[in-house]
Amino acid sequence: MNELRKQALGRGLSSLLGESHEEEQKGVYSSFQHIPLTSIEPGVNQPRHSFSEADILSLSISIKEKGLLQPILLRYHPHKKDAYEIVAGERRWRAATLINMGDIPAIGRGFSDEEALEVGVLENLQRQDLDPIGEASGYRRLAEEFGHTQESLSRIVGKSRSHIANTLRLL
């Protein structure tokens, strides 16, 4: 093993891969970690606003029995040091919190507000479990807060422009 790799052992993935803390903060790379549940907060850019207690309870039983099968996606908290904000996976975080899991597998990235909202909307749309009003609200936020057109939204989410327009009409 070369000398650089020996010095990097025990200091995290970025040391082994040669990535700096500055690159990490800019979101240049992703890191898989176990993060204490107490260091995580729900995301302000989360397009989903209602969570079924029964679904969370059911998910928590599954997690307790089989473990968490997919990590949540986090970003560095924009206003708190050593804290994270959920970009995707709030249901899993709520279920893990319910069973006092302690920490949760997560992937951390340096998402901007716009990227966090885009990823949150996309993640929910891909799972097809976002209600139509939540979908429309997510599109509207992307348009109003970040200047997206219906055309650019259609490219981002992989839906037709007419689908975006019709969904926005629900509001």
Side-chain angles (χ1 to χ4, degrees):
M1 187 181 296
N2 71 31
E3 198 59 38
L4 176 63
R5 290 182 69 99
K6 282 183 188 175
Q7 292 172 342
L9 288 175
R11 290 198 261 157
L13 261 174
S14 61
S15 297
L16 287 171
L17 299 175
E19 292 148 337
S20 72
H21 184 67
E22 289 170 6
E23 288 173 319
E24 177 181 343
Q25 289 296 348
K26 290 178 186 172
V28 173
Y29 84 104
S30 298
S31 64
F32 178 82
Q33 307 172 50
H34 280 80
I35 305 291
L37 292 170
T38 55
S39 298
I40 302 170
E41 293 182 5
V44 297
N45 293 310
Q46 169 62 260
R48 178 187 307 282
H49 298 289
S50 62
F51 296 87
S52 161
E53 287 185 39
D55 287 346
I56 300 295
L57 180 60
S58 175
L59 182 56
S60 69
I61 291 167
S62 172
I63 290 171
K64 192 171 190 172
E65 185 69 28
K66 298 292 184 187
L68 191 66
L69 303 178
Q70 182 178 11
I72 65 172
L73 184 59
L74 304 173
R75 74 177 185 153
Y76 306 101
H77 198 288
H79 307 294
K80 294 181 182 177
K81 186 177 167 118
D82 299 325
Y84 300 89
E85 191 176 76
I86 299 170
V87 174
E90 187 169 338
R91 287 178 61 248
R92 285 169 272 157
W93 172 76
R94 287 174 182 257
T97 300
L98 190 63
I99 59 171
N100 299 314
M101 208 165 135
D103 60 36
I104 190 167
I107 297 172
R109 286 280 312 263
F111 288 114
S112 68
D113 287 346
E114 180 178 3
E115 292 167 325
L117 179 58
E118 286 176 354
V119 169
V121 169
L122 284 170
E123 195 263 347
N124 281 290
L125 288 174
Q126 287 171 350
R127 291 177 183 265
Q128 297 180 336
D129 60 356
L130 188 61
D131 65 69
I133 299 299
E135 179 180 353
S137 295
Y139 293 155
R140 181 175 62 190
R141 285 192 62 201
L142 283 167
E144 289 176 356
E145 294 178 29
F146 304 108
H148 283 286
T149 63
Q150 290 179 2
E151 189 66 36
S152 68
L153 285 172
S154 73
R155 281 192 306 273
I156 291 169
V157 299
K159 305 276 185 177
S160 69
R161 194 212 49 79
S162 61
H163 172 83
I164 302 293
N166 291 333
T167 303
L168 285 168
R169 284 189 188 107
L170 294 173
L171 301 175

